[in-house]
Amino acid sequence: AQSVTQPDIHITVSEGASLELRCNYSYGATPYLFWYVQSPGQGLQLLLKYFSGDTLVQGIKGFEAEFKRSQSSFNLRKPSVHWSDAAEYFCAVGPSFGNEKLTFGTGTRLTIIP
Amino acid sequence: DAGVIQSPRHEVTEMGQEVTLRCKPISGHNSLFWYRQTMMRGLELLIYFNNNVPIDDSGMPEDRFSAKMPNASFSTLKIQPSEPRDSAVYFCASSFSASGGTLIWEQYFGPGTRLTVT
């Protein structure tokens, strides 16, 4: 069964500092991988996705993520965070074909301090 | 595009009452998903439809929950009777899948319905 682990429940970074949010997945084949962001009181918005090809993917709002098959990881990064990046971030994994279910991680809450 | 539309945005009801949540997916999308989000359990998939047909309802908690998709532009999630433990934010999401579900794309989420059962 597929699973996703986001080991950090809460991360605090200073505005302008770099950010890396960790995501590890478990899936037997090549997965589809996603990062979503949820601002308070809002739905989830897709930041970026990996289906195949280049293992470094660029997303919206200056985010990027790197797929590392050997480490079963898909970490999200941003070189310089802005106060507006404060939100909850979810990693998700899905099969490359067949059942369309996505499995979401438990989320990482990001707090930005001035 | 208007995105995924959910109504109502907030619902407060008393235990034992029937609750109906509504969702309008993005036009052209053929898969629809209902999720529930709570602090304790995180984001859980309840059920999803492809081409209006329920494909996987293994996440539906119990018989009190039912979901329908009578056409490509509308779905409902009904709880009858409601209980306090059903209090959560319910999200609807839609996506486009090709080749009978063999190729999937990203899911687009609605703003959610915050349900409070007292």
Short mmCIF file of all heavy atoms in Angstrom, two decimals, chain A residues 32 34 36 38 41-46 49 51 90 94-102 104-105 109, chain B residues 9 31 33 35 37 39 43 45 48 50 56 58 91 95 97 101-107 109-111:
data_model
loop_
_atom_site.label_atom_id
_atom_site.label_comp_id
_atom_site.label_asym_id
_atom_site.label_seq_id
_atom_site.Cartn_x
_atom_site.Cartn_y
_atom_site.Cartn_z
N TYR A 32 3.28 9.03 -8.90
CA TYR A 32 3.01 10.44 -9.16
C TYR A 32 3.13 11.14 -7.80
O TYR A 32 2.61 10.64 -6.80
CB TYR A 32 1.59 10.64 -9.69
CG TYR A 32 1.39 10.29 -11.14
CD1 TYR A 32 2.40 9.75 -11.93
CD2 TYR A 32 0.15 10.50 -11.75
CE1 TYR A 32 2.18 9.43 -13.25
CE2 TYR A 32 -0.08 10.18 -13.08
CZ TYR A 32 0.94 9.66 -13.82
OH TYR A 32 0.72 9.35 -15.15
N PHE A 34 3.02 14.90 -5.54
CA PHE A 34 2.44 16.23 -5.54
C PHE A 34 2.79 16.96 -4.23
O PHE A 34 2.94 16.33 -3.18
CB PHE A 34 0.90 16.16 -5.63
CG PHE A 34 0.37 15.36 -6.78
CD1 PHE A 34 0.25 13.99 -6.68
CD2 PHE A 34 -0.03 15.99 -7.94
CE1 PHE A 34 -0.25 13.24 -7.74
CE2 PHE A 34 -0.54 15.25 -9.00
CZ PHE A 34 -0.65 13.87 -8.90
N TYR A 36 0.93 20.16 -2.18
CA TYR A 36 -0.18 21.09 -2.09
C TYR A 36 0.06 22.03 -0.91
O TYR A 36 0.69 21.66 0.07
CB TYR A 36 -1.51 20.36 -1.85
CG TYR A 36 -2.09 19.66 -3.05
CD1 TYR A 36 -1.69 18.38 -3.40
CD2 TYR A 36 -3.07 20.29 -3.82
CE1 TYR A 36 -2.25 17.74 -4.50
CE2 TYR A 36 -3.65 19.65 -4.92
CZ TYR A 36 -3.23 18.38 -5.25
OH TYR A 36 -3.78 17.75 -6.34
N GLN A 38 -2.08 24.70 1.81
CA GLN A 38 -3.39 25.07 2.33
C GLN A 38 -3.24 26.27 3.26
O GLN A 38 -2.63 26.15 4.32
CB GLN A 38 -4.05 23.91 3.07
CG GLN A 38 -5.45 24.22 3.56
CD GLN A 38 -6.09 23.06 4.30
OE1 GLN A 38 -5.40 22.22 4.89
NE2 GLN A 38 -7.41 22.98 4.26
N GLY A 41 -8.33 28.30 6.42
CA GLY A 41 -9.70 28.48 5.94
C GLY A 41 -9.88 28.29 4.45
O GLY A 41 -10.95 28.56 3.92
N GLN A 42 -8.84 27.78 3.80
CA GLN A 42 -8.90 27.61 2.35
C GLN A 42 -8.79 26.14 1.96
O GLN A 42 -8.44 25.29 2.79
CB GLN A 42 -7.77 28.39 1.68
CG GLN A 42 -7.76 29.87 2.00
CD GLN A 42 -8.99 30.58 1.50
OE1 GLN A 42 -9.43 30.38 0.36
NE2 GLN A 42 -9.58 31.42 2.34
N GLY A 43 -9.07 25.88 0.69
CA GLY A 43 -8.84 24.55 0.17
C GLY A 43 -7.37 24.35 -0.17
O GLY A 43 -6.54 25.23 0.05
N LEU A 44 -7.06 23.19 -0.70
CA LEU A 44 -5.68 22.88 -1.06
C LEU A 44 -5.39 23.37 -2.48
O LEU A 44 -6.19 23.19 -3.39
CB LEU A 44 -5.43 21.37 -0.99
CG LEU A 44 -5.16 20.79 0.39
CD1 LEU A 44 -6.40 20.79 1.25
CD2 LEU A 44 -4.59 19.37 0.27
N GLN A 45 -4.23 23.96 -2.64
CA GLN A 45 -3.81 24.47 -3.94
C GLN A 45 -2.56 23.72 -4.38
O GLN A 45 -1.61 23.55 -3.59
CB GLN A 45 -3.50 25.97 -3.86
CG GLN A 45 -3.05 26.58 -5.18
CD GLN A 45 -2.65 28.03 -5.05
OE1 GLN A 45 -2.36 28.53 -3.97
NE2 GLN A 45 -2.63 28.74 -6.18
N LEU A 46 -2.54 23.26 -5.61
CA LEU A 46 -1.39 22.51 -6.11
C LEU A 46 -0.20 23.45 -6.31
O LEU A 46 -0.30 24.47 -6.97
CB LEU A 46 -1.75 21.86 -7.45
CG LEU A 46 -0.63 21.03 -8.07
CD1 LEU A 46 -0.38 19.76 -7.26
CD2 LEU A 46 -0.98 20.66 -9.51
N LYS A 49 4.06 19.20 -9.27
CA LYS A 49 3.83 17.76 -9.41
C LYS A 49 5.00 17.13 -10.15
O LYS A 49 5.69 17.79 -10.94
CB LYS A 49 2.54 17.49 -10.17
CG LYS A 49 2.51 18.08 -11.58
CD LYS A 49 1.17 17.89 -12.23
CE LYS A 49 1.17 18.42 -13.68
NZ LYS A 49 1.18 19.89 -13.71
N PHE A 51 5.63 13.68 -12.49
CA PHE A 51 5.08 12.50 -13.13
C PHE A 51 6.22 11.64 -13.70
O PHE A 51 6.22 10.42 -13.55
CB PHE A 51 4.12 12.88 -14.26
CG PHE A 51 2.79 13.41 -13.79
CD1 PHE A 51 1.87 13.94 -14.67
CD2 PHE A 51 2.44 13.39 -12.45
CE1 PHE A 51 0.64 14.42 -14.24
CE2 PHE A 51 1.22 13.89 -12.00
CZ PHE A 51 0.32 14.41 -12.92
N PHE A 90 1.17 19.93 2.21
CA PHE A 90 0.88 18.50 2.14
C PHE A 90 1.58 17.88 0.94
O PHE A 90 1.49 18.39 -0.18
CB PHE A 90 -0.63 18.27 2.00
CG PHE A 90 -1.42 18.66 3.21
CD1 PHE A 90 -1.94 19.94 3.32
CD2 PHE A 90 -1.66 17.75 4.23
CE1 PHE A 90 -2.68 20.32 4.43
CE2 PHE A 90 -2.40 18.12 5.35
CZ PHE A 90 -2.91 19.40 5.44
N GLY A 94 0.46 9.22 -5.65
CA GLY A 94 -0.58 8.49 -6.34
C GLY A 94 0.02 7.50 -7.29
O GLY A 94 1.19 7.62 -7.68
N PRO A 95 -0.74 6.52 -7.70
CA PRO A 95 -0.24 5.53 -8.64
C PRO A 95 -0.08 6.14 -10.02
O PRO A 95 -0.73 7.13 -10.35
CB PRO A 95 -1.33 4.46 -8.64
CG PRO A 95 -2.56 5.21 -8.28
CD PRO A 95 -2.13 6.30 -7.36
N SER A 96 0.79 5.58 -10.83
CA SER A 96 0.99 6.12 -12.17
C SER A 96 -0.13 5.68 -13.11
O SER A 96 -0.29 6.21 -14.17
CB SER A 96 2.35 5.68 -12.72
OG SER A 96 2.47 4.27 -12.64
N PHE A 97 -0.90 4.70 -12.72
CA PHE A 97 -2.06 4.32 -13.51
C PHE A 97 -3.01 3.54 -12.62
O PHE A 97 -2.66 3.09 -11.54
CB PHE A 97 -1.65 3.46 -14.72
CG PHE A 97 -0.98 2.17 -14.37
CD1 PHE A 97 -1.72 1.02 -14.15
CD2 PHE A 97 0.39 2.11 -14.23
CE1 PHE A 97 -1.09 -0.17 -13.80
CE2 PHE A 97 1.02 0.92 -13.88
CZ PHE A 97 0.28 -0.21 -13.66
N GLY A 98 -4.23 3.41 -13.12
CA GLY A 98 -5.20 2.63 -12.36
C GLY A 98 -5.99 3.49 -11.40
O GLY A 98 -6.43 4.57 -11.74
N ASN A 99 -6.19 3.02 -10.21
CA ASN A 99 -6.96 3.73 -9.20
C ASN A 99 -6.42 5.14 -9.01
O ASN A 99 -5.22 5.34 -8.91
CB ASN A 99 -6.88 2.94 -7.89
CG ASN A 99 -7.85 3.46 -6.84
OD1 ASN A 99 -7.81 4.62 -6.48
ND2 ASN A 99 -8.70 2.58 -6.35
N GLU A 100 -7.34 6.10 -8.95
CA GLU A 100 -6.92 7.50 -8.92
C GLU A 100 -6.70 8.02 -7.50
O GLU A 100 -6.48 9.21 -7.32
CB GLU A 100 -7.99 8.36 -9.59
CG GLU A 100 -8.17 8.04 -11.06
CD GLU A 100 -9.22 8.92 -11.68
OE1 GLU A 100 -9.05 10.15 -11.66
OE2 GLU A 100 -10.23 8.36 -12.17
N LYS A 101 -6.74 7.17 -6.50
CA LYS A 101 -6.61 7.65 -5.14
C LYS A 101 -5.24 8.26 -4.88
O LYS A 101 -4.22 7.69 -5.24
CB LYS A 101 -6.83 6.49 -4.16
CG LYS A 101 -8.25 5.99 -4.11
CD LYS A 101 -8.36 4.73 -3.27
CE LYS A 101 -8.07 4.98 -1.81
NZ LYS A 101 -8.40 3.79 -1.00
N LEU A 102 -5.25 9.40 -4.23
CA LEU A 102 -4.03 10.00 -3.73
C LEU A 102 -3.96 9.76 -2.23
O LEU A 102 -4.96 9.81 -1.54
CB LEU A 102 -4.00 11.51 -3.98
CG LEU A 102 -3.92 12.00 -5.42
CD1 LEU A 102 -3.79 13.52 -5.44
CD2 LEU A 102 -2.75 11.36 -6.14
N PHE A 104 -2.33 11.28 1.10
CA PHE A 104 -1.74 12.52 1.59
C PHE A 104 -0.95 12.28 2.87
O PHE A 104 -1.32 11.43 3.70
CB PHE A 104 -2.82 13.56 1.87
CG PHE A 104 -3.38 14.21 0.64
CD1 PHE A 104 -4.37 13.60 -0.09
CD2 PHE A 104 -2.90 15.43 0.21
CE1 PHE A 104 -4.89 14.18 -1.24
CE2 PHE A 104 -3.40 16.04 -0.93
CZ PHE A 104 -4.39 15.40 -1.66
N GLY A 105 0.11 13.03 3.04
CA GLY A 105 0.81 13.05 4.31
C GLY A 105 0.02 13.84 5.33
O GLY A 105 -1.03 14.43 5.01
N ARG A 109 3.14 22.29 9.10
CA ARG A 109 2.72 23.69 9.29
C ARG A 109 3.95 24.58 9.28
O ARG A 109 4.89 24.35 10.05
CB ARG A 109 1.95 23.86 10.59
CG ARG A 109 1.50 25.31 10.83
CD ARG A 109 0.65 25.42 12.07
NE ARG A 109 -0.56 24.61 11.94
CZ ARG A 109 -1.44 24.45 12.92
NH1 ARG A 109 -1.24 25.03 14.08
NH2 ARG A 109 -2.51 23.70 12.74
N ARG B 9 -20.74 26.87 2.62
CA ARG B 9 -19.36 26.99 3.13
C ARG B 9 -19.29 26.63 4.60
O ARG B 9 -18.29 26.13 5.08
CB ARG B 9 -18.84 28.41 2.91
CG ARG B 9 -18.64 28.79 1.45
CD ARG B 9 -17.50 27.98 0.81
NE ARG B 9 -16.29 27.98 1.61
CZ ARG B 9 -15.37 28.92 1.57
NH1 ARG B 9 -15.51 29.95 0.75
NH2 ARG B 9 -14.28 28.83 2.33
N SER B 31 -13.49 13.20 -13.05
CA SER B 31 -13.34 12.51 -11.77
C SER B 31 -13.63 13.48 -10.64
O SER B 31 -13.25 14.65 -10.70
CB SER B 31 -11.93 11.94 -11.61
OG SER B 31 -11.70 10.87 -12.51
N PHE B 33 -13.87 13.78 -6.23
CA PHE B 33 -13.42 13.19 -4.98
C PHE B 33 -14.04 13.94 -3.81
O PHE B 33 -14.12 15.16 -3.83
CB PHE B 33 -11.89 13.29 -4.86
CG PHE B 33 -11.14 12.74 -6.04
CD1 PHE B 33 -11.02 13.46 -7.21
CD2 PHE B 33 -10.57 11.49 -5.97
CE1 PHE B 33 -10.33 12.96 -8.31
CE2 PHE B 33 -9.87 10.97 -7.06
CZ PHE B 33 -9.76 11.70 -8.22
N TYR B 35 -13.37 14.44 0.27
CA TYR B 35 -12.43 14.25 1.36
C TYR B 35 -13.02 14.83 2.64
O TYR B 35 -13.85 15.73 2.63
CB TYR B 35 -11.11 15.00 1.09
CG TYR B 35 -10.25 14.45 -0.01
CD1 TYR B 35 -10.43 14.86 -1.32
CD2 TYR B 35 -9.24 13.53 0.27
CE1 TYR B 35 -9.60 14.37 -2.34
CE2 TYR B 35 -8.41 13.05 -0.73
CZ TYR B 35 -8.61 13.48 -2.04
OH TYR B 35 -7.79 12.99 -3.02
N GLN B 37 -11.46 16.39 6.38
CA GLN B 37 -10.24 16.81 7.08
C GLN B 37 -10.55 17.12 8.54
O GLN B 37 -11.42 17.93 8.85
CB GLN B 37 -9.62 18.04 6.42
CG GLN B 37 -8.27 18.44 7.01
CD GLN B 37 -7.66 19.66 6.33
OE1 GLN B 37 -8.35 20.63 6.00
NE2 GLN B 37 -6.35 19.61 6.09
N MET B 39 -8.45 17.42 12.61
CA MET B 39 -7.14 17.52 13.26
C MET B 39 -6.61 16.14 13.59
O MET B 39 -5.41 15.87 13.46
CB MET B 39 -7.27 18.36 14.53
CG MET B 39 -7.52 19.83 14.27
SD MET B 39 -6.10 20.63 13.52
CE MET B 39 -4.94 20.56 14.88
N LEU B 43 -6.32 14.38 6.35
CA LEU B 43 -7.13 14.42 5.13
C LEU B 43 -7.42 12.99 4.69
O LEU B 43 -6.51 12.23 4.38
CB LEU B 43 -6.36 15.16 4.05
CG LEU B 43 -7.11 15.65 2.83
CD1 LEU B 43 -8.19 16.65 3.22
CD2 LEU B 43 -6.14 16.29 1.85
N LEU B 45 -9.71 10.40 2.15
CA LEU B 45 -10.57 10.25 0.99
C LEU B 45 -11.79 9.42 1.39
O LEU B 45 -11.65 8.31 1.92
CB LEU B 45 -9.83 9.57 -0.14
CG LEU B 45 -10.65 9.29 -1.40
CD1 LEU B 45 -11.06 10.59 -2.08
CD2 LEU B 45 -9.88 8.39 -2.36
N TYR B 48 -14.64 8.35 -4.44
CA TYR B 48 -14.42 9.10 -5.66
C TYR B 48 -15.21 8.47 -6.81
O TYR B 48 -15.49 7.27 -6.82
CB TYR B 48 -12.95 9.29 -5.98
CG TYR B 48 -12.25 8.20 -6.77
CD1 TYR B 48 -12.24 8.23 -8.17
CD2 TYR B 48 -11.54 7.21 -6.13
CE1 TYR B 48 -11.56 7.26 -8.89
CE2 TYR B 48 -10.86 6.25 -6.84
CZ TYR B 48 -10.86 6.27 -8.21
OH TYR B 48 -10.19 5.32 -8.92
N ASN B 50 -15.70 8.34 -11.15
CA ASN B 50 -15.14 8.58 -12.48
C ASN B 50 -16.27 8.45 -13.48
O ASN B 50 -16.97 7.43 -13.48
CB ASN B 50 -14.01 7.59 -12.79
CG ASN B 50 -13.43 7.80 -14.18
OD1 ASN B 50 -13.73 7.05 -15.12
ND2 ASN B 50 -12.61 8.82 -14.32
N ASP B 56 -14.49 4.00 -5.87
CA ASP B 56 -13.92 3.53 -4.61
C ASP B 56 -14.60 4.26 -3.48
O ASP B 56 -14.44 5.47 -3.33
CB ASP B 56 -12.41 3.78 -4.59
CG ASP B 56 -11.71 3.13 -3.40
OD1 ASP B 56 -12.34 2.99 -2.33
OD2 ASP B 56 -10.53 2.77 -3.53
N SER B 58 -14.37 2.98 -0.26
CA SER B 58 -13.85 2.29 0.92
C SER B 58 -13.58 3.24 2.08
O SER B 58 -13.47 2.80 3.22
CB SER B 58 -12.56 1.54 0.57
OG SER B 58 -11.57 2.44 0.08
N PHE B 91 -14.05 18.47 1.86
CA PHE B 91 -13.58 19.02 0.59
C PHE B 91 -14.05 18.17 -0.57
O PHE B 91 -14.09 16.95 -0.49
CB PHE B 91 -12.05 19.07 0.55
CG PHE B 91 -11.44 20.10 1.45
CD1 PHE B 91 -10.84 19.73 2.64
CD2 PHE B 91 -11.46 21.44 1.10
CE1 PHE B 91 -10.27 20.69 3.48
CE2 PHE B 91 -10.89 22.39 1.93
CZ PHE B 91 -10.30 22.00 3.12
N SER B 95 -10.76 16.23 -11.08
CA SER B 95 -9.60 16.10 -11.96
C SER B 95 -10.06 15.52 -13.28
O SER B 95 -11.21 15.10 -13.44
CB SER B 95 -8.52 15.20 -11.33
OG SER B 95 -8.95 13.85 -11.33
N SER B 97 -9.21 12.52 -15.93
CA SER B 97 -8.47 11.28 -16.13
C SER B 97 -8.75 10.76 -17.53
O SER B 97 -9.86 10.88 -18.03
CB SER B 97 -8.85 10.22 -15.10
OG SER B 97 -10.15 9.74 -15.35
N GLY B 101 -9.25 6.12 -16.63
CA GLY B 101 -8.64 6.20 -15.30
C GLY B 101 -7.22 5.70 -15.27
O GLY B 101 -6.60 5.64 -14.21
N THR B 102 -6.68 5.38 -16.43
CA THR B 102 -5.32 4.87 -16.42
C THR B 102 -4.28 5.98 -16.43
O THR B 102 -3.12 5.74 -16.15
CB THR B 102 -5.08 3.95 -17.63
OG1 THR B 102 -5.34 4.68 -18.84
CG2 THR B 102 -5.99 2.74 -17.58
N LEU B 103 -4.69 7.16 -16.79
CA LEU B 103 -3.78 8.30 -16.74
C LEU B 103 -4.45 9.36 -15.88
O LEU B 103 -5.56 9.78 -16.17
CB LEU B 103 -3.52 8.85 -18.13
CG LEU B 103 -2.76 7.93 -19.09
CD1 LEU B 103 -2.71 8.55 -20.48
CD2 LEU B 103 -1.36 7.68 -18.58
N ILE B 104 -3.79 9.74 -14.81
CA ILE B 104 -4.42 10.70 -13.92
C ILE B 104 -3.64 12.00 -13.91
O ILE B 104 -2.47 12.04 -14.22
CB ILE B 104 -4.51 10.16 -12.48
CG1 ILE B 104 -3.11 10.00 -11.86
CG2 ILE B 104 -5.26 8.85 -12.45
CD1 ILE B 104 -3.15 9.71 -10.38
N TRP B 105 -4.33 13.02 -13.52
CA TRP B 105 -3.75 14.34 -13.42
C TRP B 105 -4.04 14.91 -12.05
O TRP B 105 -4.65 14.27 -11.23
CB TRP B 105 -4.30 15.23 -14.54
CG TRP B 105 -4.07 14.65 -15.88
CD1 TRP B 105 -4.97 13.97 -16.65
CD2 TRP B 105 -2.83 14.61 -16.61
NE1 TRP B 105 -4.38 13.53 -17.80
CE2 TRP B 105 -3.08 13.92 -17.81
CE3 TRP B 105 -1.56 15.12 -16.35
CZ2 TRP B 105 -2.08 13.71 -18.76
CZ3 TRP B 105 -0.58 14.91 -17.31
CH2 TRP B 105 -0.84 14.22 -18.50
N GLU B 106 -3.59 16.11 -11.84
CA GLU B 106 -3.72 16.67 -10.51
C GLU B 106 -5.17 16.96 -10.15
O GLU B 106 -6.00 17.22 -11.01
CB GLU B 106 -2.90 17.97 -10.41
CG GLU B 106 -3.29 19.04 -11.41
CD GLU B 106 -2.44 18.96 -12.67
OE1 GLU B 106 -2.01 17.85 -13.02
OE2 GLU B 106 -2.25 20.02 -13.29
N GLN B 107 -5.44 16.94 -8.86
CA GLN B 107 -6.76 17.22 -8.34
C GLN B 107 -6.84 18.69 -7.94
O GLN B 107 -5.91 19.23 -7.35
CB GLN B 107 -7.06 16.33 -7.13
CG GLN B 107 -7.11 14.85 -7.48
CD GLN B 107 -7.37 13.98 -6.27
OE1 GLN B 107 -7.83 14.44 -5.24
NE2 GLN B 107 -7.06 12.69 -6.41
N PHE B 109 -8.99 21.38 -5.72
CA PHE B 109 -9.85 21.35 -4.56
C PHE B 109 -10.77 22.55 -4.48
O PHE B 109 -10.39 23.68 -4.87
CB PHE B 109 -9.00 21.31 -3.28
CG PHE B 109 -8.42 19.97 -2.96
CD1 PHE B 109 -7.38 19.44 -3.70
CD2 PHE B 109 -8.96 19.21 -1.93
CE1 PHE B 109 -6.85 18.19 -3.42
CE2 PHE B 109 -8.43 17.96 -1.64
CZ PHE B 109 -7.39 17.44 -2.38
N GLY B 110 -11.96 22.31 -3.95
CA GLY B 110 -12.85 23.41 -3.61
C GLY B 110 -12.47 24.02 -2.28
O GLY B 110 -11.55 23.54 -1.62
N PRO B 111 -13.19 25.07 -1.87
CA PRO B 111 -12.85 25.76 -0.62
C PRO B 111 -13.27 25.02 0.64
O PRO B 111 -12.85 25.38 1.73
CB PRO B 111 -13.62 27.08 -0.75
CG PRO B 111 -14.79 26.74 -1.62
CD PRO B 111 -14.29 25.71 -2.58
#
